[in-house]
């Protein structure tokens, strides 16, 4: 995730960008599209969350993370950012702590990058002409000194802020890094995985008399389409609800002062499978194919006429629907009624209106940038959410229609199985928390 600040009168242009799950493709193309988005919004503070695809080869791939970060930080598009913070979870040998922030390796690693799982980048800017960039595993950049903006990063005690100066990379054991909080979910949250790598990372920032938390998150996936279909809501939805509640309780408990926060990453939110299938196959009949052990192996939905044409086939890792246009037409708006997982948290979390197609699972074939894979029902897995107090910080000028932009990147281009999602917005100086830099619980060192 990335955040950036830009001074404009009494307001600050704060851009939060979320890039989730990069798959194999040309890094030149990836950087080009991401940098185009950054250049079009020109944020002063940019937070970038990078999440590795699959994670099966992270032991081999970690050696490539440094090259990814170096290329990112040395790019011409980010040359205005003079300060950065990079957080890399590279302790992959620790089952107790690792949250998967490595690169997935493939044959032509020099030409293809699968991605950094939790790379966080942050740039801070002191100059109106220079900007700050931040990401997850995280890297943060900031422009040169500005008379209007000073960026500070809180220590783990959350009672003191440290002024962000220069560029630093934090890796290896992030548990000992004083400027972030990191936690994995308890193992019993998802017992199907012998080693769960899901969890969250939080950092706390103060600038222009505003203070807020940035929380990078990765929730549990649907292990089987068949299990997800069995009931509404699915058991996987309940697992994600439990995990998200765990994070929200942690970041709003009594240990630290409560601040506005932004939560972003791969929430793995899915559409209500049972209800979606009922709508897609309302005029179809269902055939159940079982194994020798009488377990359901496959569901086949056929039209009642039209020579009993097969319109949908479902297996554990197969979701093959005959007409993918339903997920792309009008950005899939007709299916948003089945996007229900966030409704449980409507009093605790807010989201800008979604105006882009489901972000997952896109084909990883470079020639099929708009095509979905036939593995899962397309869904809006990748999101940027905020607390009610964070929402109140957003500036919405009456004469500017697009002062807040919530969209994806590379809609027609292969970006991996997840499309990157970003949020761009402005905040007013002093919004959220008055005099944050001077507050008794937030002393700047």
């Amino acid at each position: 995730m990335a955040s950036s600040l830009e001074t404009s009168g009494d307001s600050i242009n704060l851009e939060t960008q979320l890039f989730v799950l990069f798959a194999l493709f040309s890094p030149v193309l990836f950087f080009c599209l991401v940098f185009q988005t950054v250049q079009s919004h020109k944020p002063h503070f940019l937070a970038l969350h990078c999440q590795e695809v699959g994670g099966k080869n992270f032991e081999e791939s970690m050696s490539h993370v440094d090259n990814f970060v170096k290329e990112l930080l040395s790019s011409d598009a980010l040359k205005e950012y003079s300060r950065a913070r990079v957080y890399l979870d590279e302790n992959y040998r620790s089952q107790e702590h690792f949250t998967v922030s490595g690169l997935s390796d493939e044959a032509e690693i020099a030409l293809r990058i699968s991605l950094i799982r939790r790379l966080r980048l942050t740039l801070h800017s002191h100059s109106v002409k220079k900007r700050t960039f931040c990401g997850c595993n995280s890297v943060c950049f900031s422009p040169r000194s500005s008379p209007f903006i000073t960026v500070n990063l809180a220590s783990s005690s959350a009672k003191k802020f440290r002024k962000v100066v220069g560029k630093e990379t934090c890796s290896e054991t992030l548990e000992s890094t004083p400027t972030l909080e990191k936690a994995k979910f308890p193992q019993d949250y998802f017992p199907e995985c012998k080693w769960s790598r899901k969890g969250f990372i939080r950092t706390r920032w103060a600038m222009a008399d505003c203070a807020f938390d940035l929380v990078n998150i990765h929730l549990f996936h649907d292990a089987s389409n068949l299990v997800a279909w069995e009931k509404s809501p699915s058991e996987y939805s309940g697992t994600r609800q439990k995990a998200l509640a765990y994070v929200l309780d942690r970041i709003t408990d009594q240990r630290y002062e409560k601040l506005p926060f932004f939560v972003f990453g791969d929430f793995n939110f899915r559409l209500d499978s049972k209800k979606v299938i009922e709508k897609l196959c309302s005029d179809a009949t269902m055939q159940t194919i079982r194994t020798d052990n009488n377990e359901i192996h496959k569901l086949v939905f056929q039209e009642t006429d039209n020579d009993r044409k097969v319109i949908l086939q479902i297996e554990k890792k197969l979701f093959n629907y005959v007409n993918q246009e339903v997920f792309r037409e009008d950005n899939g708006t007709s299916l948003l009624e089945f996007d229900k997982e966030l409704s449980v948290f409507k009093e605790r979390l807010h989201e800008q209106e979604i105006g882009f197609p489901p972000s997952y699972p896109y084909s990883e074939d470079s020639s099929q940038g708009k095509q979905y894979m036939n593995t899962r029902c397309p869904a809006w897995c990748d999101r940027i959410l905020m607390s009610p107090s964070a929402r109140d910080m957003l500036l919405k000028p009456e004469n500017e229609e697009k002062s807040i932009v919530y969209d994806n990147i590379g809609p027609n281009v292969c970006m991996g199985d997840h499309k990157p999602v970003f949020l761009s917005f402005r905040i007013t100086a002093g919004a959220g928390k008055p005099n944050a830099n001077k507050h008794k619980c937030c002393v700047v060192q």
Side-chain angles (χ1 to χ4, degrees), residues 267-319:
F267 290 82
N268 261 315
F269 288 158
R270 306 301 170 97
L271 303 184
D272 188 323
S273 293
K274 192 171 185 64
K275 297 296 184 181
V276 168
I277 292 170
E278 288 175 357
K279 177 176 181 176
L280 297 179
C281 305
S282 58
D283 297 325
T285 59
M286 184 183 76
Q287 177 186 4
T288 303
I289 300 174
R290 297 180 178 273
T291 65
D292 294 339
N293 297 327
N294 202 36
E295 296 178 348
I296 297 179
H297 169 67
K298 188 174 187 177
L299 300 175
V300 180
F301 295 83
Q302 297 173 285
E303 295 182 347
T304 54
D305 51 16
N306 194 25
D307 296 327
R308 296 188 59 78
K309 178 182 178 181
V310 174
I311 59 174
L312 175 64
Q313 300 179 73
I314 301 176
E315 295 179 10
K316 180 179 180 179
K317 294 185 178 182
L318 174 71
F319 189 94

Side-chain angles (χ1 to χ4, degrees), residues 200 337 405:
F200 76 93
E337 64 176 299
V405 181

Side-chain angles (χ1 to χ4, degrees), residues 163-340:
K163 186 174 294 186
V164 176
V165 178
K167 299 180 181 180
E168 295 180 4
T169 298
C170 302
S171 59
E172 296 295 334
T173 307
L174 292 184
E175 288 73 25
S176 61
T177 301
T179 53
L180 67 79
E181 176 187 9
K182 171 191 151 186
K184 283 180 53 177
F185 297 120
Q187 179 63 46
D188 60 0
Y189 274 34
F190 199 59
E192 288 189 37
C193 291
K194 61 182 179 180
W195 175 24
S196 171
R197 296 162 293 179
K198 306 297 192 294
F200 76 93
I201 295 176
R202 168 167 68 162
T203 51
R204 174 162 288 191
W205 303 87
M207 61 193 78
D209 286 341
C210 301
F212 54 86
D213 288 344
L214 299 180
V215 183
N216 308 106
I217 194 171
H218 189 197
L219 299 183
F220 303 100
H221 65 286
D222 281 12
S224 169
N225 294 324
L226 295 172
V227 174
W229 162 82
E230 289 177 351
K231 61 180 181 179
S232 171
S234 75
E235 66 176 62
Y236 301 124
S237 175
T239 300
R240 286 187 287 271
Q241 176 181 335
K242 183 178 180 181
L244 182 53
Y246 172 86
V247 174
L248 296 180
D249 290 343
R250 280 285 297 267
I251 64 178
T252 58
D253 61 20
Q254 300 302 315
R255 293 173 301 151
Y256 312 124
E257 182 179 7
K258 295 181 181 179
L259 291 179
F261 60 84
F262 298 88
V263 186
F264 51 100
D266 181 5
F267 290 82
N268 261 315
F269 288 158
R270 306 301 170 97
L271 303 184
D272 188 323
S273 293
K274 192 171 185 64
K275 297 296 184 181
V276 168
I277 292 170
E278 288 175 357
K279 177 176 181 176
L280 297 179
C281 305
S282 58
D283 297 325
T285 59
M286 184 183 76
Q287 177 186 4
T288 303
I289 300 174
R290 297 180 178 273
T291 65
D292 294 339
N293 297 327
N294 202 36
E295 296 178 348
I296 297 179
H297 169 67
K298 188 174 187 177
L299 300 175
V300 180
F301 295 83
Q302 297 173 285
E303 295 182 347
T304 54
D305 51 16
N306 194 25
D307 296 327
R308 296 188 59 78
K309 178 182 178 181
V310 174
I311 59 174
L312 175 64
Q313 300 179 73
I314 301 176
E315 295 179 10
K316 180 179 180 179
K317 294 185 178 182
L318 174 71
F319 189 94
N320 189 359
Y321 184 61
V322 67
N323 179 24
Q324 285 198 2
E325 279 302 314
V326 70
F327 302 108
R328 292 188 289 262
E329 185 177 2
D330 194 24
N331 293 322
T333 302
S334 64
L335 298 175
L336 277 172
E337 64 176 299
F338 305 110
D339 180 62
K340 301 177 179 180

Side-chain angles (χ1 to χ4, degrees), residues 45 115 118 124 147 161 169 225 231 273 329 367 372 374 408:
F45 185 89
L115 93 355
R118 283 183 178 271
H124 296 283
F161 282 90
T169 298
N225 294 324
K231 61 180 181 179
S273 293
E329 185 177 2
S367 66
Y372 289 104
N374 295 323
N408 65 10

